[in-house]
Amino acid sequence: MSAPRLDVITIFPDYLAPLDLSLIGKARESGLVDVRVHDLRAVATDRHRTVDDSPFGGGAGMVMRPDVWSRAIEATAAGSDGSAGSHGGAEPDPREVVVLVPTPSGAPLTQATAQRLADELAAPDVRAVVACGRYEGIDARLVPALREHDGVRRVEEFSLGDFVLNGGEVAALALLEAVVRLLPGVLGNPDSIVEESFSDAAVLEYPVYTRPADWDGRAVPPVLLSGDHGAVARWRRAQSLTRTVERRPDLLDLLAVADLDRRDLDVLADAGVVVARDGALLGPLRVREAGEADVLALADLAATTFPLACPDPTTLADVRRHVAAHLSPAHWREHLADPDHHVLLLVDRSGLAVGYSLLLTGEAQGSDLAGTGIAVEGTRYAELSKLYLLARCHGTGAAGVLMAATLERAATLADAVWLGTNAGNAAARRSYERSGFAVVGERTFRVGDVDHLDVVMLRSVAD
Ligand code: JD8
């Protein structure tokens, strides 16, 4: 069976000389891959070997001709076109062609792309041709024309990233390195692929260390010197997950929750990432102070979440009345303007607010705490007036992230925090008890024109 084959066409063949080196160079020598580099000018027909012309519609620079490119790609099938490949064969290559075109407007090249292409090229019926453009690019008619060509299975435009290069060669080099190293037999120990960044595991690599164990007083994490392979593996896994959350939270979208064990979920939770009720990874969740720009989002969030904690028989009309009377954008502007009102937002990695809390400080109303008979004299109390999260965050640990930040803020403002929660809402009470609150009394709380019984809970935040 013929080795997986990749042809690269360019006006700068020397740019691809690195393909003679290192892993790919060895793979070519040992016949594990057939990489050929072609000079586009080889198929130019005029004595100046012209491959470009001025752009229709005017403008700076030159555009590469579609006819020249089409001929060059066609010629790769011929097998013996004198191409700078170590294995020029006589017979026309019968394999279908996947044409890969580097372009700034292409789909971002990812490890998944590389793996998919490597799997495809390992099959005996297809080969790849990489078309490296230069100048202002290749005439836009080439790609659709190639897609109609019998021998062409697919044309894929890819980009190396959101920065501008002067041509496609650098992208071609990156693509070939990323694909060829995944071809059968190329990497000495295929297992090493499993652990790599962006592989199916979709997490970043863990930090690596080698001798000297002490470098200018900089030590190596002791676990790596422990000889306890289980502990080392756990540490490395935790490092990979934490680094991914800190450096590339966007990659969390690629992580399959089903592939995460309990320890993984704990590591992620410590980094502010929880599993939402719809099974998606939420976070890293961050808590920040709300500002004027958040008023509408706050009002939406408050109106959306308030009903979630309303006891029966609260009617929609009651809720609407309460929201209009207490949670409108105007009310939130007042809260944000009041120095004794502290509004914190819980936001996910896109910046979307998924929860909020409202702390009230300043003079206590009356001599006792919320009618509980607890004297307020000598203690600075803050009221945790509101702490609400979107339904998809309930039961995920997200409330804990917001509560922790809220208590941290309260500790800078007061000695103790109290709150009222509906006496019938056992889940809420348990959640507050997990956060250190204890029931100290009761009070009445009006929603619409219905009085509801609240339990009053209290906890110290004094150091
Ligand atoms: C192919 C010509 C240069 C691009 C006018 C500068 C990929 N991530 C990437 N950035 N740039 C490229 C790339 C640039 C190319 C060509 C790829 C062919 N140019 C052009 C448009 C603006 N000059 C790339 N992959």
Side-chain angles (χ1 to χ4, degrees):
M1 185 175 91
S2 310
R5 176 178 169 183
L6 302 98
D7 294 63
V8 182
I9 305 173
T10 166
I11 59 171
F12 296 126
D14 298 346
Y15 226 112
L16 284 298
L19 296 176
D20 303 338
L21 307 173
S22 176
L23 196 75
I24 298 179
K26 290 190 185 65
R28 296 172 74 184
E29 276 139 28
S30 48
L32 290 170
V33 65
D34 177 359
V35 173
R36 309 183 193 190
V37 178
H38 310 266
D39 184 339
L40 179 67
R41 296 189 190 285
V43 298
T45 53
D46 65 315
R47 63 191 179 83
H48 299 299
R49 305 207 305 158
T50 304
V51 298
D52 62 322
D53 207 326
S54 52
F56 281 123
M62 299 293 276
V63 174
M64 301 188 101
R65 294 174 59 106
D67 51 345
V68 175
W69 267 107
S70 179
R71 267 202 311 278
I73 293 168
E74 194 91 42
T76 61
S80 58
D81 62 349
S83 61
S86 53
H87 311 282
E91 290 307 301
D93 192 316
R95 286 176 279 191
E96 269 194 312
V97 175
V98 171
V99 181
L100 303 165
V101 184
T103 165
S105 53
L109 176 63
T110 67
Q111 187 63 17
T113 320
Q115 189 63 66
R116 173 171 50 76
L117 287 169
D119 297 345
E120 189 173 10
L121 292 172
D125 60 349
V126 66
R127 62 187 179 89
V129 172
V130 185
C132 301
R134 276 274 152 176
Y135 311 116
E136 298 315 302
I138 302 173
D139 184 294
R141 291 168 292 179
L142 177 69
V143 166
L146 289 172
R147 287 190 170 130
E148 291 154 17
H149 192 293
D150 295 354
V152 172
R153 172 184 292 187
R154 190 176 68 254
V155 180
E156 224 172 289
E157 295 179 287
F158 73 94
S159 168
L160 202 51
D162 298 343
F163 45 84
V164 179
L165 301 167
N166 285 338
E169 286 77 10
V170 171
L173 275 173
L175 176 89
L176 262 85
E177 174 139 359
V179 170
V180 170
R181 64 192 299 280
L182 299 174
L183 292 173
V186 172
L187 268 183
N189 141 20
D191 294 345
S192 68
I193 291 178
V194 179
E195 280 201 342
E196 279 170 349
S197 295
F198 317 118
S199 63
D200 293 351
V203 291
L204 296 182
E205 82 283 1
Y206 48 78
V208 291
Y209 302 81
T210 187
R211 276 182 280 279
D214 179 294
W215 177 49
D216 288 358
R218 296 171 188 278
V220 168
V223 65
L224 299 180
L225 309 173
S226 68
D228 176 342
H229 301 306
V232 168
R234 287 190 296 276
W235 179 87
R236 285 174 168 172
R237 176 63 173 174
Q239 286 287 316
S240 288
L241 288 168
T242 307
R243 273 174 152 217
T244 304
V245 172
E246 290 163 355
R247 300 177 185 208
R248 291 293 308 280
D250 57 297
L251 290 175
L252 296 172
D253 294 334
L254 305 175
L255 258 183
V257 171
D259 300 345
L260 301 172
D261 63 20
R262 180 69 258 156
R263 194 173 275 116
D264 292 339
L265 294 171
D266 294 344
V267 168
L268 288 169
D270 293 346
V273 176
V274 299
V275 181
R277 291 174 71 173
D278 55 13
L281 280 178
L282 191 61
L285 296 169
R286 299 285 179 256
V287 176
R288 65 171 176 78
E289 183 110 17
E292 175 59 28
D294 302 306
V295 162
L296 295 180
L298 252 175
D300 281 357
L301 191 55
T304 305
T305 55
F306 175 71
L308 302 174
C310 277
D312 302 331
T314 309
T315 65
L316 195 51
D318 292 331
V319 168
R320 280 214 188 92
R321 245 198 316 277
H322 183 87
V323 167
H326 300 283
L327 303 173
S328 72
H331 292 99
W332 287 108
R333 275 196 194 84
E334 283 168 23
H335 284 306
L336 293 171
D338 187 324
D340 289 331
H341 293 194
H342 313 273
V343 185
L344 296 178
L345 282 178
L346 181 70
V347 296
D348 72 5
R349 69 172 163 271
S350 69
L352 173 75
V354 295
Y356 76 96
S357 67
L358 171 62
L359 268 174
L360 308 178
T361 54
E363 286 320 301
Q365 316 309 321
S367 62
D368 77 334
L369 185 68
T372 60
I374 296 173
V376 294
E377 192 53 42
T379 303
R380 295 173 309 149
Y381 286 101
E383 176 191 357
L384 177 51
S385 163
K386 299 181 190 315
L387 188 140
Y388 288 93
L389 291 88
L390 290 176
R392 67 189 293 256
C393 300
H394 290 189
T396 66
V401 175
L402 178 56
M403 178 62 86
T406 303
L407 293 173
E408 196 180 326
R409 168 56 65 85
T412 67
L413 303 161
D415 308 311
V417 178
W418 71 274
L419 60 88
T421 185
N422 185 271
N425 189 336
R429 188 194 300 198
R430 279 196 302 277
S431 166
Y432 292 132
E433 281 160 354
R434 279 196 301 275
S435 299
F437 286 85
V439 174
V440 292
E442 293 177 340
R443 68 159 187 187
T444 303
F445 185 75
R446 172 169 285 264
V447 176
D449 49 22
V450 180
D451 282 339
H452 296 275
L453 177 62
D454 265 9
V455 289
V456 175
M457 303 181 76
L458 179 68
R459 66 153 285 169
S460 162
V461 285
D463 297 343

